[in-house]
Amino acid sequence: MQGFNRWIPPDYDPKRHHTLNDYQGKKALGDRERKRDQGILITRFELPFNIWCATCNNHIGMGVRYNAEKKKIGNYYSTPIYSFRCKCHLCSGWFEIQTDPKNTAYVVTSGARKQEQDWDPEENGGFAAHDTDPNKPPEDPLASLEKTNTIKHNVETVVKPRIEALQDLSEHYNSDPYAMSSKLRKSFREEKKVLKRKRELDDDFKSRYSLPEDLSLVAEDDVRQEAKDIWTSEKKDFDRHAADAKRALEVDVGSTPVARAMNLASGSSSSRRIAKLPSRLSNSKPTPGKSLASTLLLNSLRRSDPFLSRTTTVPKLAKAKPTGLIVRR
């Protein structure tokens, strides 16, 4: 009981009573300490799970709170074990719940039974948080020792050298903080000077040609490189289109009158026609009728097109011997 902003009796002596609780004959926790001589403290306890009362056989849900009698009943190593004795609010029966530090859980010891609703992670595709299998054999001590030796060897050969290298690198960079800071600030100043000079040149160029201030200028090298890239790509497209046009022209040349006349004058057809003709016809010599027809066709073309005589060469015709005559020397 605090004495701030409270009435203090006239016969209260701080040296004799020490506190107002001693003067009133009360304890700091009040009625909660009525069984302190038995090692019991009245606390507010909330049920950690659903239970069935053994006295009235009623269901008590998780989260119901009771004024429980808390008492220390033992230790698990250095962790104390507490028991909570509660009185059922549906009847006059008592039940007791204890802590289980080994399995980090609560255990019902008397007066009730727990409703089993534990979620098994292994059945749902997870991993068990605690190994609760009582039939599991003990771990092989030799395997444990081998694992420990492997970890030690890995620490000595991999982890420790890596940590030492990182420490050396940290000492190298942090041995002289002033020198490192000076070097860094010097590089910053140089970059700042370059940017400032570039900004001044841009502002002067904009003011000279009355350009807007928010216009961003690009370096000449960047413009040249961009133009070069565009020119290279356009040249590749042009060369490809030119090659396609040339290929199409070569295909269509065989269908012109000049080509037909030259083929007729040479006395042989294209490779495709030769391949289709029989062997007795493909090796035949030009006849006088074909030679005369080719000559007339070329003369007609030269007459109609004066530029044809400059570009077209008349093939040499083979002199055919007249049929039905015997030539004697």
Side-chain angles (χ1 to χ4, degrees), residues 130-161:
H130 304 283
D131 189 7
T132 58
D133 188 5
N135 299 324
K136 183 178 180 180
E139 188 178 358
D140 187 5
L142 294 179
S144 177
L145 180 61
E146 182 179 359
K147 182 178 180 180
T148 304
N149 293 334
T150 304
I151 294 174
K152 288 183 179 180
H153 179 71
N154 184 44
V155 169
E156 293 293 335
T157 57
V158 179
V159 179
K160 189 175 180 179

Side-chain angles (χ1 to χ4, degrees), residues 8-57:
I8 299 176
D11 56 346
Y12 170 73
D13 187 4
K15 295 181 180 179
R16 186 178 63 179
H17 300 104
H18 301 289
T19 62
L20 291 175
N21 289 330
D22 293 341
Y23 174 80
Q24 298 290 343
K26 296 182 178 180
K27 301 295 183 182
L29 298 178
D31 190 54
R32 296 172 57 191
E33 292 186 349
R34 64 180 182 269
K35 296 183 179 181
R36 190 168 187 176
D37 55 343
Q38 303 176 16
I40 298 174
L41 179 65
I42 307 300
T43 60
R44 196 70 173 164
F45 180 72
E46 182 177 337
L47 290 181
F49 40 71
N50 298 329
I51 63 172
W52 297 91
C53 181
T55 304
C56 60
N57 202 23

Side-chain angles (χ1 to χ4, degrees), residues 25-94:
K26 296 182 178 180
K27 301 295 183 182
L29 298 178
D31 190 54
R32 296 172 57 191
E33 292 186 349
R34 64 180 182 269
K35 296 183 179 181
R36 190 168 187 176
D37 55 343
Q38 303 176 16
I40 298 174
L41 179 65
I42 307 300
T43 60
R44 196 70 173 164
F45 180 72
E46 182 177 337
L47 290 181
F49 40 71
N50 298 329
I51 63 172
W52 297 91
C53 181
T55 304
C56 60
N57 202 23
N58 287 324
H59 178 267
I60 304 175
M62 178 179 62
V64 179
R65 297 178 181 179
Y66 294 96
N67 293 329
E69 298 179 355
K70 179 181 178 181
K71 183 179 180 181
K72 181 179 178 181
I73 59 175
N75 288 307
Y76 176 73
Y77 293 101
S78 61
T79 304
I81 300 175
Y82 295 102
S83 68
F84 298 90
R85 188 169 178 264
C86 308
K87 186 176 182 179
C88 179
H89 65 286
L90 301 174
C91 63
S92 59
W94 291 82

Side-chain angles (χ1 to χ4, degrees), residues 257-278:
V258 178
R260 289 198 302 269
M262 294 178 66
N263 291 334
L264 186 61
S266 62
S268 61
S269 303
S270 60
S271 58
R272 295 181 180 178
R273 293 183 179 179
I274 292 175
K276 295 180 180 179
L277 291 175

